[in-house]
Structures are given as structure tokens and as C-alpha cells.
Amino acid sequence: MPPSSSPEASPEASSAPPPSSRGSLAGAGWEDQEPGTYPELMPERVSNLSWLNPATLWKARNGPLASLLGDPTGARRQQWVRGQVERGAANEDLLIERDDPDTFSFLLLGDTGEGDAPQYAVVPGMLKAGAGTRYTVLCSDVLYPVGSADEYGTKFFRPYRDYDAPIYPIPGNHDWYDGLGGFMRVFCDAPEPPPAPRPRFGSAAWWRSLLWRAPATIDAERLAAARRMRDRPAQAARCPGPYWAMDSGPLRIIGIDTGLLGGIDREQGEWLARVARGPRPKILVTGSPLYVDGEHHPCPIEGGGTVDAIVRDPRNRFVAAIGGDIHNYQHYPVDVDGRRIEYVVSGGGGAFMHATHTIPPVTVGGVTEDRFRCYPLRADSLAFYSRLYGRRLRLRKLFDLTPDQAAAVIAARLGLAPTRAPAAAEVTRRTRFVAAVLGVASRPGRRRRLRLPVRKLLTGVLSPGSATYSPPFFKNFLRLDVTPTEIRVRCFAATGLRPHELEPPVEDDFTIPLT
């Protein structure tokens, strides 16, 4: 059935909404509940991606090489874009043309494609809560570990084959680990541009080229077979390039490509300034969030300036900036010169979960804890990680924390009241030790006993990867319901449990005025 054009098709509970993690352990997925049906969607054989595997890290080596020896993605990106314009596949503004009414809905999710249980667990709730949406936007990292075209079958086309509407992505750094070749072939039908000129012998670029991972050769037959899983007319979508603008109803949505290192090149910066002009309300979609983990990252533009300066310019009328890359949900409602811009992180679409318990008490951009939202809650994040490391290190008696124990120690260390009323749980030396080892921040003014590199090792380099194949997964996706006067934004949870497939819990719900 084709998607409805009206948000009246939005899934509204007939009585009370399902409990979320903010209200109950059941809403978070901790209590025993019926497993979800998502395994029925998966292939018989699934290759579980592990970020502790040296082969995986070697495939993703281009990011560290770009940091050390210079980033070539800006020049390569412009080759792709100029090629699209020259062959007539894109106009100068890289504008996606749509015919949406003033009242409609769409989905947004990011960091999806590991191709295993956590990704597929998002799909049933996404289809339920996404009923009536006209399209989906993917923000960052369509595929992991690198964006090889040969992996799109199980990591893109199969998971979303029953979503009967277009999907418009922007690439993330992992899509660039394959030189963007897979992304550009799949979404833009673009031929590979000519190879870059050979770098001067002995230069940094020459040294980089010795180790640089070359794009994989695309198996055309395999890709064609994968495309057949999403080949219905209602699903047709083509992007003009790695960054684009789309006029949709009363909105303009602008997607930017932040490449390997989280910035944009000069030409893309000039394009962004151009397509951002005018009074039409705008949403920025980016692979590098501008507010994240309690910090402001304005996103540099080559040659000077920042993306956030363009977003904050009142003449451009941005109302939100939504980014992926970080695999959880965060919401920062920032007041800028008398108006509000909603800065959101939405990267929980399927890849491993980045911790939220490492986020210190939020005081950034005028946003404090009473206005900040995250999913999973810090306590659920800590409980998740403690169980992971209890199993991984075979020290469950030491590491495992119940959600209530995690909530109690989080409250004690951060000086914050628990979001969800916990059962009585004593804060012991053991729970304090586990919280410190796993990177829970301290309240302002307290000295941290564990050095930052150690905390980052445990919750960053040794993050869960896809080592957790059973619920709760703590994934998320957004639904945006647009009218001429406002946008309602809801963050839905995906835990992998059957009750949450049938009625996805709402973890955040806010409205953006457009008038």
C-alpha cells in the first residue's frame, strides 16, 4: 500500500502510550518479555561484525591515514560532484525534486548497516511507526565496516525491502573507507571518476598512497540482484551526489557530506551557503553532529568558517540540525539570538551502541540537564556495558550491575536525580569501581581518578561492537510530522522485544514551530 501523505496516519495510541525507558524497566527492555520477530527478516547466515577483529580495523585504515598524512576526500568528492553535473545527472544546486504536500511525514535514522541482529531489530518498529511516511533520510554510515557495494544486499536492500517509500542517504566516514564508490554507484548510479594524479615521490600524499585502501571492484550482477529487493516504483530514489538539498512540502532539507574527518571542503561550503539562503524553514542533516556528548563541534569549512555559523544565521532560517556518527540519541534545544534551534544526534539505527553514561552533566549552549535528553538513559547505558564486560572478561560477579544499581551510582557520581525512579539500591565500593572503570563522569569540581585515555579505551576502542546479539539493543529512529505551522519530532526506541515492535516506545517528543 503506498504511503499516506498525511501525518494523520501517524501511530497514535488509542489510550495510554506504551511505557518508555524513562518510566519503567519494562519500557527499557530489561524485564523478561517476548522476543521480537526481527530474526525472521534476517538471512540464514549472518556475519557478525566485530570491531575487535584486526582484519576489520585494517579495512577501516583510511581514516587514521587521513588524520596522519592528509585527507584527500575533498578533492575526490568534487570529482564525483562535477562528474554528476557534467553528465546531466544533477543540477548545480544538487536539488532533489519532490512533490510533497504541506502536511506530510518522514523518518530519519542513522548509522545503520552492520547487517546483523541490532540492525534488523529496528525494522519492525520502524515499519509500524513509519506507517504513512513519504520517505526516509539516512544520516551517516549506510554500511560498515567499509561501504563496499557488494555488501548492500544484506545491509541495505534486504532490511528495508518492505519499506514502501524512497530512502535518501548522506554518507558517513565508513562509506568513505571505500572511496565512496559503493555509495555513489548504489544511490547516484555514478561511474567511477578518473584516478587521482600520482602524488609527488616522498610527499605525505605519496606515503599515504602506499597504505591507502583502494575501492573494491563492484560485482555488477550481485548488485543488480540486491537491487531487486527494493525495486518497486514507490521505492525509487536517486540522489544527485554525496551532498544534496531537497524541497519537501514547506521545508528544505539539506544533507552535507563530512567525509572522513568531520569537515567539509571549500566548494561544498560555498554550495551550502548558497542553498541555505532564503526564508524557507530548513533542517540540516549531517554525518558529524554539531552538539554531541555535552560539547559543541561547529564543523569547520575548508578555507574558513563553520557549518554551524551558517545554521545560526537567522537569514537562513534553520530550525534543526540532525547528525549521525554517534550511535545513540541526544537532544540539545539551543536558544540562538531569541530563537530556538533543535540540535539532535540520531545514530542509533543499527550499529553498536555508543555509551551515554560517559556524558557529564550537560552545560553547553545554554542547555542544562533539565532540557537535555538522551537514549539510552545513562543508567541503562552503564548497566548494558557492565553486563557486556562481565561476560567478556568473565568477571560477572564484579562487573554486572542491575539497572537500579547503575541508576543509583550514576545519581551519586553526577549529582543528578534518577530519571526513572529506581528500587532501593545501595551505592557500594564495587558499584563505584565499575562506574569509574567504565567511564562514568564525575559531578563538576570532583577530580577524576581514572585517566581519560583509559576510559576512552574501554568505552571507545573496546566498545561493544556487535558483541551483543540479544535484546535490549537500545536502538532508535525518528519520525517527523510536518504541517505548515510546525514539525512534531518523536524519537522511537527499538529494543528487539515483541511488545516494542508492536508499539515502539517514545523516548522524546517535541515540537518545532515554523511560524
Side-chain angles (χ1 to χ4, degrees):
M1 183 174 64
S4 166
S5 62
S6 170
E8 292 179 2
S10 167
E12 303 289 353
S14 56
S15 55
S20 72
S21 70
R22 306 182 71 83
S24 72
L25 290 173
W30 289 120
E31 295 183 346
D32 288 339
Q33 298 175 74
E34 180 185 356
T37 61
Y38 65 89
E40 300 173 6
L41 306 175
M42 299 171 64
E44 291 184 5
R45 294 184 179 181
V46 174
S47 297
N48 293 317
L49 181 63
S50 172
W51 289 101
L52 301 180
N53 185 336
T56 301
L57 298 177
W58 179 243
K59 287 181 180 179
R61 63 188 180 272
N62 287 2
L65 287 173
S67 297
L68 291 171
L69 299 172
D71 183 6
T73 57
R76 191 63 169 170
R77 179 189 296 117
Q78 292 314 317
Q79 278 189 291
W80 284 113
V81 171
R82 283 192 288 270
Q84 288 291 91
V85 173
E86 288 170 0
R87 70 190 187 93
N91 54 48
E92 290 288 343
D93 285 340
L94 303 179
L95 187 65
I96 298 173
E97 298 181 0
R98 289 191 55 86
D99 184 21
D100 296 311
D102 286 344
T103 298
F104 73 100
S105 303
F106 68 98
L107 295 178
L108 186 146
L109 65 162
D111 301 270
T112 52
E114 287 191 351
D116 48 21
Q119 178 180 9
Y120 281 86
V122 176
V123 175
M126 170 187 161
L127 295 176
K128 179 66 184 290
T133 54
R134 293 184 66 89
Y135 55 84
T136 287
V137 173
L138 290 186
C139 61
S140 180
D141 291 339
V142 182
L143 256 63
Y144 293 91
V146 299
S148 172
D150 289 349
E151 297 186 20
Y152 268 84
T154 56
K155 298 181 179 181
F156 176 76
F157 289 106
R158 185 185 182 104
Y160 310 120
R161 60 184 174 180
D162 293 328
Y163 179 68
D164 210 21
I167 297 176
Y168 301 101
I170 58 167
N173 57 315
H174 287 270
D175 302 302
W176 268 103
Y177 291 158
D178 194 53
L180 211 63
F183 181 99
M184 292 298 294
R185 172 69 71 86
V186 170
F187 297 113
C188 308
D189 200 22
E192 187 80 18
R198 184 181 297 274
R200 179 175 55 84
F201 177 80
S203 65
W206 182 83
W207 287 107
R208 182 185 64 222
S209 68
L210 297 181
L211 296 173
W212 196 256
R213 182 186 184 277
T217 301
I218 295 175
D219 185 331
E221 291 185 5
R222 183 174 178 178
L223 179 56
R227 286 185 186 276
R228 287 194 285 272
M229 288 186 274
R230 270 188 58 85
D231 63 354
R232 294 187 293 276
Q235 297 171 325
R238 179 172 293 183
C239 291
Y243 53 90
W244 44 259
M246 180 167 67
D247 288 336
S248 181
L251 289 178
R252 170 164 284 191
I253 300 172
I254 300 175
I256 62 173
D257 170 18
T258 54
L260 286 172
L261 302 182
I264 68 174
D265 59 88
R266 186 192 306 268
E267 287 188 37
Q268 186 178 181
E270 293 171 353
W271 167 87
L272 175 60
R274 185 173 72 250
V275 298
R277 295 176 190 142
R280 193 180 192 129
K282 299 175 187 72
I283 294 177
L284 179 78
V285 180
T286 169
S288 298
L290 304 182
Y291 279 85
V292 61
D293 293 345
E295 299 175 348
H296 182 210
H297 297 271
C299 187
I301 299 174
E302 180 188 25
T306 67
V307 168
D308 200 30
I310 295 174
V311 169
R312 288 168 176 257
D313 189 330
R315 296 171 298 179
N316 295 333
R317 207 181 170 199
F318 279 91
V319 297
I322 306 175
D325 189 53
I326 302 301
H327 307 166
N328 53 45
Y329 173 81
Q330 300 174 43
H331 176 202
Y332 302 84
V334 178
D335 292 326
V336 179
D337 298 329
R339 61 198 176 90
R340 177 165 294 179
I341 301 175
E342 307 288 353
Y343 291 88
V344 174
V345 179
S346 184
F352 70 86
M353 188 193 83
H354 278 129
T356 59
H357 64 261
T358 57
I359 303 174
V362 170
T363 54
V364 64
V367 180
T368 52
E369 275 293 324
D370 60 324
R371 295 167 62 193
F372 170 70
R373 293 288 183 273
C374 68
Y375 177 76
L377 299 177
R378 290 182 178 93
D380 291 330
S381 172
L382 178 59
F384 179 97
Y385 268 79
S386 74
R387 294 186 179 193
L388 171 76
Y389 282 105
R391 293 192 302 271
R392 181 171 287 170
L393 302 176
R394 298 184 181 180
L395 294 171
R396 298 188 67 170
K397 288 185 178 180
L398 173 63
F399 269 91
D400 276 17
L401 300 182
T402 68
D404 287 333
Q405 289 172 330
V409 73
I410 288 278
R413 286 182 66 86
L414 299 187
L416 303 173
T419 303
R420 179 179 63 232
E426 183 181 359
V427 179
T428 65
R429 291 202 312 184
R430 182 183 75 89
T431 59
R432 288 183 184 276
F433 170 78
V434 173
V437 167
L438 295 184
V440 176
S442 300
R443 70 180 70 182
R446 284 194 175 184
R447 183 170 64 89
R448 295 177 177 175
R449 295 181 181 273
L450 195 66
R451 292 184 179 274
L452 182 63
V454 178
R455 297 198 325 274
K456 283 188 175 293
L457 177 69
L458 289 170
T459 57
V461 177
L462 298 181
S463 55
S466 293
T468 51
Y469 304 122
S470 58
F473 293 120
F474 296 110
K475 303 305 172 194
N476 76 272
F477 58 92
L478 306 185
R479 175 173 173 133
L480 294 87
D481 298 316
V482 182
T483 73
T485 60
E486 66 181 23
I487 307 171
R488 182 185 182 187
V489 182
R490 280 174 288 176
C491 171
F492 287 96
T495 64
L497 296 168
R498 182 59 174 163
H500 299 157
E501 290 181 350
L502 296 173
E503 288 190 274
V506 177
E507 294 293 335
D508 197 13
D509 187 345
F510 60 95
T511 299
I512 304 172
L514 296 183
T515 56

